[in-house]
Amino acid sequence: ARTRKEAEETERKEEERRRRVEEEQLTKEGVDQVQTHKKQAENAPAVSAESGAANGHDLHKTLDRLESVRSNSPSGSSTGDKERKKKKKKQEDVDEQGRPVLLKNCEIRGEPVEGGKMTAFAKRAKKIEIACTFQWYRVSNGAELAIAGADKASYVLSKSDVGLVLKVVGLPVVKETSQHGQPVTATISAPVAPSSGAEPATTNAAEVEV
């Protein structure tokens, strides 16, 4: 295993050496072509358009080959790739208002029946201490109406909720810095059903499980 690893390392170094040599050759070739083009322009101002175009085409081909060699080089591309990935990840982590992702996978658990208790759950996206406030909404014909006093992780369904779909919005905040995170939402899968005579659930829980 050690011999194979050493062989692979040797092969990698040799490939890198070949790329460097090719890059140096192409760089020199490009410089020579530029100098040749300048000399022709100085010594023969009346050089034909066809000849000038040919020289320019050769130079572009050399530059394209040089760029290809550099982009395919492990040492040349890895740094750029890492920077691009890092920048992309940073952009994905915050929204237009600069709020980071603090919670994910928000869902509502419970039986959507009058008198039943629905509870919002979410997972922490980062290993930091956060607090979270909530607001429950009744959804009807695309309109969302905030339910007064329904600002805890759990909500006990009332007669007013029957036939409607409920939605919850969670607003996380970093405890240490008071920085607001991106809101998370969840909606129950079916409208609230009328009670079948079961005892109503007790009052709301204080916080979401995060």
Side-chain angles (χ1 to χ4, degrees):
R2 182 179 180 183
T3 303
R4 181 179 178 182
K5 187 175 181 180
E6 290 176 348
E8 290 176 350
E9 180 65 16
T10 301
E11 183 178 353
R12 186 191 65 77
K13 289 182 179 180
E14 178 60 23
E15 179 65 22
E16 184 65 24
R17 186 192 66 80
R18 285 198 297 268
R19 283 200 179 95
R20 280 200 305 270
V21 171
E22 185 177 2
E23 183 178 337
E24 291 173 358
Q25 290 175 342
L26 289 171
T27 302
K28 184 177 184 303
E29 185 177 336
V31 172
D32 290 343
Q33 287 175 352
V34 170
Q35 292 177 345
T36 300
H37 191 65
K38 285 183 178 180
K39 287 181 180 179
Q40 287 179 343
E42 292 172 355
N43 298 332
V47 64
S48 69
E50 183 178 342
S51 175
N55 290 332
H57 180 67
D58 289 342
L59 178 58
H60 281 299
K61 285 177 64 177
T62 300
L63 293 176
D64 287 343
R65 287 168 58 199
L66 178 59
E67 180 63 25
S68 177
V69 170
R70 285 176 174 172
S71 63
N72 290 328
S73 171
S75 60
S77 61
S78 59
T79 301
D81 289 343
K82 288 179 180 178
E83 289 298 323
R84 283 191 293 272
K85 289 180 181 178
K86 185 176 180 181
K87 184 177 180 181
K88 183 179 180 181
K89 179 174 176 55
K90 187 175 181 180
Q91 291 174 341
E92 292 175 347
D93 281 347
V94 298
D95 61 9
E96 294 179 353
Q97 299 179 38
R99 297 176 299 185
V101 175
L102 299 178
L103 291 176
K104 60 181 181 179
N105 302 334
C106 184
E107 63 177 329
I108 299 173
R109 300 177 188 174
E111 192 70 22
V113 177
E114 179 188 354
K117 183 171 70 174
M118 310 300 290
T119 304
F121 288 83
K123 294 182 179 180
R124 284 186 295 177
K126 302 178 184 294
K127 293 182 178 180
I128 54 177
E129 291 295 322
I130 63 173
C132 194
T133 58
F134 299 87
Q135 179 59 57
W136 290 82
Y137 296 84
R138 295 188 182 107
V139 182
S140 177
N141 297 323
E144 297 179 359
L145 178 65
I147 304 173
D151 55 1
K152 300 292 191 296
S154 291
Y155 171 70
V156 178
L157 300 170
S158 69
K159 188 174 182 179
S160 300
D161 300 317
V162 174
L164 301 177
V165 170
L166 263 64
K167 173 183 177 180
V168 66
V169 176
L171 301 171
V173 178
V174 179
K175 287 185 176 180
E176 185 177 356
T177 63
S178 298
Q179 180 184 24
H180 290 271
Q182 295 180 29
V184 292
T185 65
T187 305
I188 61 175
S189 58
V192 177
S195 173
S196 58
E199 287 293 326
T202 55
T203 190
N204 300 329
E207 284 191 51
V208 72
E209 181 180 302
V210 295

